[in-house]
Structure formats: structure tokens, C-alpha cells
Amino acid sequence: MKKNSLFLRETLFNYLYKLVLMGVGFISIPLLLNYLGVEKYGVWVTIMAVISWAQMSDFGIGNGLRNKITENLTKGKIERVQSYISTAYYGITIISLILMAIGILISININLQNLFNTSIEVSELKWSFIITIFSFSLNFVLGLGKTISYATHRSSLVGLSQVVYSGLLILLIFLLKICIPNSNLINVAGVYFLATTFANFFISYIIFRDKIYVPLISKYEKELFREIFGIGINFFVIQVCGIVLFSTDSIIITKILGPDQVSKYSMIDKLFSTITNLYSILLIALWSGVSKAYTNKDFEWIRKILKKLKLTLFPLAFGVFVLSLIVNKLVILWTGKNFNFDWRLILVFSLYTILVAWTGINLNVINGVGKLNLQLILYLLAAILNIPLSIFLANYINLGIAGVKLATLICLLPIGIFIPYQVKQILLDKKSKKWILK
């Protein structure tokens, strides 16, 4: 009962924060679009997509640390928790410095106008990219506070920090429009840097009030880094594949269709991802909950929570159907612009949203258990296929941005089929388990 109460409490807080976050987000996007204009906004979305690649791929350290914290807290090994945290912070700081140096060198030497398919002034592109890289490098380290929150069953702290981030972001954008009315990507990059850094300092401050989570250089253990990285390497490869699968759409669309089409894509993506984001709140505490239950061999709790979550897919599908009918009108009300999404694009986004929710349930169970080999293979195949299939469907079959999203949907299908089967095998009697668990 206690475990279910904790799960429910965290979920309710996460929903509260997410609703606030969504409200702020829907205000900030048209503000930013009006400030930058369609072309610059499309370039900025693409820059953020590139940076999100690195943010998502922390070399698996975050996810490896998450499972280790939950496992050791469950076993009562409190001192080991601080050692794992200290080791992870040390390792990720070194990696962050290396990535920052590489990123700045690339931004100085690469032709950014060609990369983003735009005529925006080179210096504006370069400095906005450099500021964003520096922001990423600092917050790459500070972001481990979110990992600790998830591992200690305090996922609502992450939601709270995101609300702080979004609130500060919209305030700074308002000030930007008033004080510096001439649109400039450099100013926007600075605003995002301030908001992101403050939010991560905020969650770190809350976490570190409990002394066992404070990283100390004296607690660094080289062997533990190998252990965390050993667990995390599969997570890392999966993250990289996930980046190719989920975060390259803006780059592909920019290169073959132009940055103005990125703006169109980002509008419909924002609306449908709202449903995905709302649903994902149900799953935030699932990973660590499954990890704890699996350590205690409490398979019945996993079965019950899975059954309840699968039932929630029915109202989700209904919500997707309703959104598909009104999406064009919503965008006009929201932004004042008519992007005129055709039925093919709406259908692809609808099916994709339902599939992401289905796979999300099962992937969180697999991640909590730590049985990653099958997921790794499926993601590798999806990543290899995604970009060429996106280009083929968008450019040669003339499906445009609908083709880019359809390619992602097709690549995600095998994951949606085989991972649920693996989950079913995990919950079977031990003698019935098959090779798929290895």
C-alpha cells in the first residue's frame, strides 16, 4: 500500500506541474515565433534539436547511476549511494569539458549557414551556437540532480524544476521583446542558458540538503565508474539510437524542405506531443518502482501496475482522435497562423502518438529490470533505417514532413511488438523464461 501511495502521490504532483508547464509552454512558443520570425524560429528549433542530442546521450551514466542508487537504497547500502553519486559527477564533468571543447571547435570551423540551410548572418549563428554549447556543457553536469530525484522516487522535483525553468524562460522572453525588440538568436540563446542553469541549480540545492547525496571528490572510486559505465553503455547506445530516431526530424526537414517547414512541423508536433507528455507522467515513477520491485522479487506489483496502465491507453486514443479533428483550428487560435495540415500528416501523428504511449509502458519496465539486449538490437535497426527512410518518403515519394514522421513510426513498430513480448516473459515463472531475457 505504501508503495502504491508513493507512486500515486508522485504522479499527482507530476500532473500538477505538467499542466502548469504546458500552459507556460503554449504561451512561450508563439512569443518566440513572433519575436524571431518563421525562418529564425525554424533555425532555433533545429539548434535546440542538435543540442538535445548531447543532452539525451550522457553516455548512459545517468541511467546507470539511477538503477544503482535505487538498488543500493533498497538494500540499505546508504554509504555506497554517495560513492556512486560522487563517481558519476566526477566522470560526467570530465566528459562535459571534452564535449564543450569539441563543440566550440566545430562551431568555429563548420559552415553553419550551409548546415541550417539559411542566409542568417554567420556571426549570429556562430555565437548563438557557442552559447548553447556552453549552456549544455554546464547543465550536462547539473542535470544529474534529476537522475537522483528519479532514483529516490522524488520525480515530482523534476517537474517542479521544469516549472521554474519555463516560468523564468517566459519572463525573460517578455523582457527580451521589450528591451531588445530586434530579433537575434544570440539573445535567445542567452535567455535559454539562464533559465536552464537556474532550474538545475534549484533542483540540485533541494537534493543536496540531504547530505548522503552530496558528491565528494574523496568518495570517487574508479571501479565504481567502470561499474556505472558498464551498466550505462547499453543505455548510451540506446540513447544515441533514440536521438537518431526521435531528434533528427528537424535537421532532415531543414536540409531537404527548408527551415520554414520546421516551423510547420514543430507546431503540430507540439500539440500531439502534449498528449504524449501528459501520458508520460504516469510512467515517470514506473522505472524506479519496477527496479525496486524487481530487486525485491515483487512481480505481482509489476503485473498489477502494468494492467492499470494498459487500460489508460483507451482514453488516450480517444484524446488523440478528438485532437486530430480540431488540430488546424487549434493552431490558428494558438498562433494566429494557418499552417493547413493535411489529413495524411494528422493521421501519421495520431498513430505515432498512440504507439509511443504503448512502447513507453513496456520500455520503462525493461529499463527498470535492466534487461537491455533486445531493446538495444531493435533500436540499432531503427536508427540505421530511420534517416534514409525519412529522406525516401519525404523527398522521393513526395510525402513532405508527413513522410519524415511516417519513417519514425515505421521504425518504432518492431519495438512496439517485441518489447511487450519480452515484458511478458519477465513476468512468467522462472522456469519459463527464455533467451530473450539475457
Side-chain angles (χ1 to χ4, degrees):
M1 181 64 70
K2 186 178 179 181
K3 186 188 299 182
N4 289 331
S5 298
L6 177 62
F7 189 90
L8 179 61
R9 187 195 70 188
E10 289 295 299
T11 300
L12 288 174
F13 272 116
N14 281 320
Y15 265 111
L16 175 62
Y17 294 140
K18 182 63 75 173
L19 288 172
V20 175
L21 189 63
M22 286 170 52
V24 175
F26 277 106
I27 295 171
S28 66
I29 287 177
L31 270 177
L32 201 57
L33 179 61
N34 290 331
Y35 177 70
L36 289 175
V38 173
E39 184 181 10
K40 284 190 177 182
Y41 179 77
V43 170
W44 177 249
V45 170
T46 307
I47 289 175
M48 293 302 291
V50 172
I51 295 302
S52 73
W53 297 356
Q55 288 176 327
M56 289 170 64
S57 61
D58 61 357
F59 294 85
I61 292 172
N63 288 330
L65 176 64
R66 178 175 178 173
N67 279 6
K68 279 297 177 183
I69 291 174
T70 302
E71 177 187 333
N72 281 272
L73 285 176
T74 302
K75 293 178 178 178
K77 298 180 179 179
I78 306 300
E79 289 188 6
R80 297 302 287 167
V81 170
Q82 190 173 35
S83 295
Y84 277 112
I85 290 173
S86 301
T87 301
Y89 267 99
Y90 179 84
I92 208 167
T93 298
I94 300 300
I95 293 170
S96 175
L97 291 172
I98 294 171
L99 289 178
M100 181 173 66
I102 294 172
I104 291 174
L105 283 174
I106 290 174
S107 64
I108 291 173
N109 293 286
I110 198 171
N111 187 331
L112 292 175
Q113 285 183 320
N114 182 55
L115 176 64
F116 294 114
N117 192 19
T118 183
S119 59
I120 297 172
E121 191 176 336
V122 173
S123 61
E124 184 177 347
L125 288 171
K126 188 170 295 184
W127 279 108
S128 60
F129 205 68
I130 289 173
I131 291 169
T132 307
I133 288 170
F134 178 76
S135 173
F136 149 73
S137 300
L138 176 60
N139 289 285
F140 194 57
V141 179
L142 296 175
L144 279 183
K146 296 175 183 176
T147 298
I148 300 170
S149 297
Y150 286 130
T152 55
H153 309 286
R154 291 184 289 176
S155 58
S156 60
L157 285 179
V158 178
L160 178 58
S161 73
Q162 290 172 338
V163 169
V164 171
Y165 159 77
S166 296
L168 182 58
L169 180 64
I170 198 169
L171 174 62
L172 291 173
I173 292 174
F174 265 122
L175 292 174
L176 200 59
K177 286 174 66 68
I178 295 170
C179 301
I180 312 176
N182 295 326
S183 66
N184 193 301
L185 287 170
I186 298 173
N187 298 329
V188 172
V191 160
Y192 271 78
F193 165 64
L194 291 173
T196 306
T197 305
F198 182 84
N200 278 326
F201 268 119
F202 172 80
I203 193 171
S204 296
Y205 169 76
I206 295 175
I207 289 293
F208 293 158
R209 286 190 299 181
D210 191 331
K211 300 301 182 183
I212 68 167
Y213 302 125
V214 177
L216 301 172
I217 192 66
S218 60
K219 292 286 187 177
Y220 167 77
E221 296 182 32
K222 188 176 182 180
E223 293 73 18
L224 293 187
F225 184 77
R226 290 174 183 156
E227 191 176 336
I228 294 170
F229 192 72
I231 296 170
I233 190 64
N234 283 344
F235 279 121
F236 170 60
V237 176
I238 291 168
Q239 285 172 329
V240 171
C241 293
I243 288 168
V244 175
L245 189 58
F246 300 115
S247 301
T248 55
D249 289 355
S250 295
I251 289 290
I252 295 169
I253 293 169
T254 296
K255 292 298 292 181
I256 66 177
L257 301 173
D260 58 321
Q261 290 297 303
V262 177
S263 296
K264 181 177 181 179
Y265 172 87
S266 70
M267 291 300 113
I268 189 170
D269 182 60
K270 177 66 177 178
L271 287 172
F272 276 94
S273 66
T274 297
I275 294 180
T276 306
N277 289 336
L278 281 173
Y279 189 76
S280 69
I281 296 170
L282 286 173
L283 310 180
I284 289 174
L286 181 61
W287 179 333
S288 296
V290 168
S291 183
K292 183 175 181 179
Y294 190 73
T295 301
N296 291 329
K297 302 189 184 302
D298 188 0
F299 298 106
E300 187 59 28
W301 183 85
I302 302 175
R303 291 189 190 97
K304 287 180 178 178
I305 202 71
L306 270 177
K307 185 177 180 180
K308 292 176 181 178
L309 287 170
K310 288 175 182 177
L311 289 174
T312 62
L313 290 171
F314 292 101
L316 176 134
F318 179 73
V320 169
F321 173 71
V322 172
L323 177 59
S324 69
L325 297 178
I326 62 173
V327 62
N328 276 307
K329 293 180 181 178
L330 277 179
V331 171
I332 293 173
L333 288 172
W334 176 31
T335 66
K337 301 179 185 297
N338 186 5
F339 288 94
N340 194 28
F341 305 118
D342 65 36
W343 69 269
R344 296 177 303 177
L345 181 61
I346 295 171
L347 177 61
V348 171
F349 265 94
S350 298
L351 294 174
Y352 173 81
T353 301
I354 295 170
L355 181 59
V356 166
W358 166 252
T359 56
I361 295 173
N362 296 282
L363 287 172
N364 272 277
V365 174
I366 295 303
N367 291 340
V369 170
K371 306 288 185 180
L372 303 176
N373 285 355
L374 177 62
Q375 184 183 169
L376 179 62
I377 293 169
L378 293 173
Y379 264 107
L380 279 170
L381 292 174
I384 292 169
L385 180 63
N386 183 59
I387 293 178
L389 184 60
S390 294
I391 295 171
F392 175 74
L393 293 176
N395 213 19
Y396 296 100
I397 306 298
N398 295 319
L399 291 178
I401 58 179
V404 176
K405 202 65 179 181
L406 179 59
T408 308
L409 172 64
I410 293 170
C411 293
L412 192 61
L413 272 174
I415 299 171
I417 294 170
F418 291 106
I419 293 299
Y421 175 71
Q422 184 186 18
V423 170
K424 183 178 179 180
Q425 292 298 311
I426 288 173
L427 299 179
L428 287 176
D429 182 81
K430 188 176 181 181
K431 293 180 180 178
S432 303
K433 293 181 182 180
K434 299 181 180 180
W435 63 272
I436 206 167
L437 295 182
K438 296 179 181 177

